[in-house]
Amino acid sequence: MSSNSGIQIPSRLPLLLTHEGVLLPGSTMRISVETARNMHLVKNRLLKGTSLKSTIIGVIPNTRDPEHDTEDLPTLHSIGTAGLAVQVVGSNWPKPHYTLLITGLCRFRVAQLLKEGPFPVAEVEQLDKLEQYTSPEEMSEAAGPEGELGELSKRFYQAAVQLVGMLDMSVPVVAKLRRLLDSLPRETLPDVLASMIHTSNKEKLQVLDAVSLEERFKKTLPLLTRQIEGLKLLQKTRKLRPDDNKRASRSSGAEVFVRDWSNVLAVRKGGVLPGHQFSLDEEGEDEDGDDTAVLERKVKGANMPQPALRVCLKELKRLKKMPQSMPEYALTRNYLDLMVELPWSKSTTDCLDIHAARVLLDSDHYAMEKLKRRVLEYLAVRQLKSTLKGPILCFVGPPGVGKTSVGRSIARTLGREFHRIALGGVCDQSDIRGHRRTYVGSMPGRIINGLKTVGVNNPVFLLDEVDKLGKSLQGDPASALLEVLDPEQNHSFTDHYLNVAFDLSQVLFIATANSTATIPPALLDRMEVLQVQGYTQEEKVEIAHRHLIPHQLEQHGLTPQQLQIPQDTTQDIISKYTREAGVRSLERKIGAICRAVAVKVAEGHTVTKSEAAPAESTPQGAEHGEGKRGRRGEEPDGVSADMAAPPDMPIVIDHIALKDILGPHVFEMEVSERLTLPGVAVGLAWTPLGGEIMFVEASRMEGEGQLTLTGQLGDVMKESAHLAMSWLRSNAKTYQLTNMVGGSDPLEGTDIHLHFPAGAVTKDGPSAGVTMVTVLASLFSGRLVRSDVAMTGEITLRGLVLPVGGIKDKVLAAHRAGVKRVIIPKRNEKDLEEIPANVRVELDFVTASNLDEVLNAAFDGGFPGMSNPLTLPHIVSKL
């Protein structure tokens, strides 16, 4: 040994008692501090100390069971390890505690316990000297060529070299470990290797108690030999598998050993890494090693394009050299798993039988001929050209008309997988393009994730509610969709997470929206827009009896033998309880009927003759309360209270039962009732929910010629009102319009109030112009507008009527409200071809190119048919 005086540890050391293992000199270990004694030691010694001396503490292994630990100080082990506290980390979750990173310096023996509280302090005797170690050659010379210590040291060194030699030298950490063995003093090898290999706490405690170096070599050498034999057995087992020969030198147990040694190297260089204990778990580690080979075979068998394959092989090569403890290992592994699972070349075969497709579409949906025709056109072209790119369709229409269900039926027709992506409220472009892998918690976008879910590269993707995309600081998802929905770009769509191109050209994209007004023009330009209009009353009746009623019966556990809803009852539900473009409310009302009948069926209720009779057999006067059912104990005349229907007779819902179940009528035919005074007319409006009728009212009073507008009107409607007022004032003499005092200027000494009821609903648009002119003309002339007329159209200052949009929805709304005559602009005559034939037959359409024609059609006998305004009683008698 060198004659230099050694470095001494303090003679008095605070003691840290630990249950978590045995700290050996030269090793590093993390220790959790939770007990009151140890917490006081950290707070009063380590956190308040300012010198290097204050960070040296004594670590004593506590052999007492921690579950039976008490406040009394246990019997101390006689030998411990002086350690340097390298790091102190505190936390309050789940309870206050500290975590210490301690590097062992040397052994000491407890000479005398000086105090027990608040933490133990003892007088210690240093056993290992902290001085310059001798080199391997000097140690051999000191021990003599035949000395037992020299022989033990040589054998131990050879075993350590053999253990390292069994590892893959191409790994940089293994090469560093091999060089370290040549330069590390051999006196330190037993303690360092005993802390690295798989040993129990009892075996480590025996090494700690081996004060003499010779005894230490004797205790540690069998442990090292056992570890070598374990690696040999693992390698021998893998050599029995031909596919794993190349990986035999890179066994999982060896990789764990390398990781542990890398931590020791980092600590010796001043780094702060947790200590690990090597555990040779053959099954778990072997499976992990096999996973890498299985993953490599999957990558090569995924039939991905060459650019993607090159990226995967590069990442796989990095993964093999990466310790599993690194956070990037899991990120890389997840990335490779996703790349393998993506359907780069997997696709389904389209069903191109046009006749079968037509039958399937007709069975799934009633009406919607335009959408069905477009699907059949696509199938026909696919028969002629197999490499046709998937179309990008956009179904625009009110809610409840079947846009989403049509997309699902298209997938069934083509024999493709279906995936729905809800875009309502999405305001982050990463939902479309994914996150870059540099971010924590990164993941692919919804497009790539949907492809992974369906498992094929030619599914039907339904982009639901594309008109309700948001925009935020995280980007604009509508702009991110430009690449997805562009046929010229989506063959090389690049997700930020994948960072390689994926071909979306075979995907059939179908977007749905209630309105195109909120869709950015650039995005709308990339899609083929197909308008999905609302249903007529006849179409709703057919849909109810073909689809809605059977579906609701099945959902409520009923059969047609238990419940029947006649068509007359369905028409009553449509006209008096729902007023919508779609059929969602209709389905809810049918569901309410099924629930009411289910209660009666479950209770074994006996139905009366009135309940079991069809609607047409209801006695006269029933609607006035005669023939009430037994709900209140009242029975029709001639029907006894205990009369029961035969067991196989279904419950037929007539108009009496309908009113009992659904309550009073929600909608009444109020058009004729509202048009009983001059200054009222019916307009037609379009909303994202479909067409609606809109009443416009006007009144006048003495004033200063002001025009008041109410009803939550937008700027366009306010301008239309001023246009209507200006046109009538300029043509007052022609149409014999006067003010309240008989003057020729309608506004002289008169204030006009124009109101649009349903004041809580915001209204805007130019199509109410003709209605405002008609209302004001009726007010000034004192004549009633026809009660069966509704109108729409934009006006100019010269009295021209300009075309407007949404004609079909508006006409259907007028038909639902019982209107008989509809006035539309002349240039909208072409839109009448979209109106169903049965609706066109029941309505009288008047096409107007100027306001003269509008007024002549809106009033009985034309306008100004009579030279003098008629009084109200005379108008009523004429009507």
Side-chain angles (χ1 to χ4, degrees), residues 552-559 562-565 589-607 651 653 661:
Q552 289 297 321
L553 290 177
E554 180 183 358
Q555 291 293 314
H556 292 84
L558 299 174
T559 64
Q562 295 173 316
L563 171 63
Q564 289 185 3
I565 303 178
K589 299 299 182 183
I590 296 173
I593 295 173
C594 292
R595 290 192 298 273
V597 173
V599 172
K600 294 183 179 293
V601 172
E603 292 178 347
H605 178 73
T606 59
V607 295
I651 298 177
I653 304 299
I661 295 173

Side-chain angles (χ1 to χ4, degrees), residues 620-640:
Q620 295 182 355
E623 56 186 358
H624 299 291
E626 302 174 12
K628 282 280 186 178
R629 297 186 302 121
R631 189 169 61 91
R632 298 184 177 88
E634 301 176 5
E635 297 295 336
D637 295 339
V639 179
S640 62

Side-chain angles (χ1 to χ4, degrees), residues 4-9 106 126 128-132:
N4 296 338
S5 58
I7 302 174
Q8 297 293 323
I9 62 174
C106 64
Q126 183 174 342
D128 299 334
K129 294 184 178 181
L130 294 174
E131 58 185 3
Q132 179 66 43

Side-chain angles (χ1 to χ4, degrees), residues 373-541:
R373 184 170 62 250
R374 182 63 183 89
V375 175
L376 297 179
E377 290 171 355
Y378 173 74
L379 292 178
V381 177
R382 280 282 284 113
Q383 285 185 356
L384 302 177
K385 184 177 176 60
S386 59
T387 59
L388 178 68
K389 294 181 179 179
I392 300 172
L393 309 177
C394 181
F395 298 162
V396 179
V401 296
K403 301 184 296 295
T404 302
S405 59
V406 166
R408 188 175 285 105
S409 294
I410 290 175
R412 287 181 54 202
T413 303
L414 297 175
R416 295 190 181 189
E417 297 292 333
F418 177 80
H419 185 71
R420 175 179 170 271
I421 300 177
L423 297 179
V426 173
C427 57
D428 188 351
Q429 68 160 352
S430 297
D431 280 351
I432 307 299
R433 284 205 181 111
H435 304 82
R436 299 190 184 278
R437 284 191 290 147
T438 54
Y439 297 111
V440 177
S442 59
M443 61 181 65
R446 295 193 182 189
I447 303 297
I448 295 299
N449 195 48
L451 290 170
K452 171 189 171 184
T453 301
V454 298
V456 292
N457 62 6
N458 63 339
V460 175
F461 268 14
L462 184 76
L463 307 178
D464 213 2
E465 308 293 354
V466 73
D467 59 327
K468 296 175 180 60
L469 286 169
K471 189 176 183 180
S472 67
L473 296 176
Q474 284 73 34
D476 184 7
S479 300
L481 278 175
L482 296 178
E483 182 183 5
V484 177
L485 300 181
D486 191 343
E488 301 301 325
Q489 299 181 33
N490 63 9
H491 61 85
S492 58
F493 170 70
T494 302
D495 186 275
H496 287 165
Y497 185 84
L498 294 186
N499 206 26
V500 294
F502 194 95
D503 186 5
L504 299 179
S505 61
Q506 298 303 315
V507 178
L508 174 56
F509 287 102
I510 299 176
T512 67
N514 297 132
S515 172
T516 58
T518 56
I519 302 178
L523 181 60
L524 189 63
D525 180 64
R526 284 163 167 78
M527 299 185 292
E528 179 183 346
V529 178
L530 297 177
Q531 295 289 339
V532 184
Q533 308 296 344
Y535 297 116
T536 65
Q537 181 167 330
E538 290 74 13
E539 290 174 341
K540 289 183 180 180
V541 171

Side-chain angles (χ1 to χ4, degrees), residues 227-241:
Q227 189 72 70
I228 294 173
E229 294 299 325
L231 287 178
K232 287 182 178 179
L233 178 62
L234 183 61
Q235 290 182 351
K236 182 178 180 181
T237 303
R238 293 201 168 184
K239 286 180 180 179
L240 298 177
R241 308 177 187 176

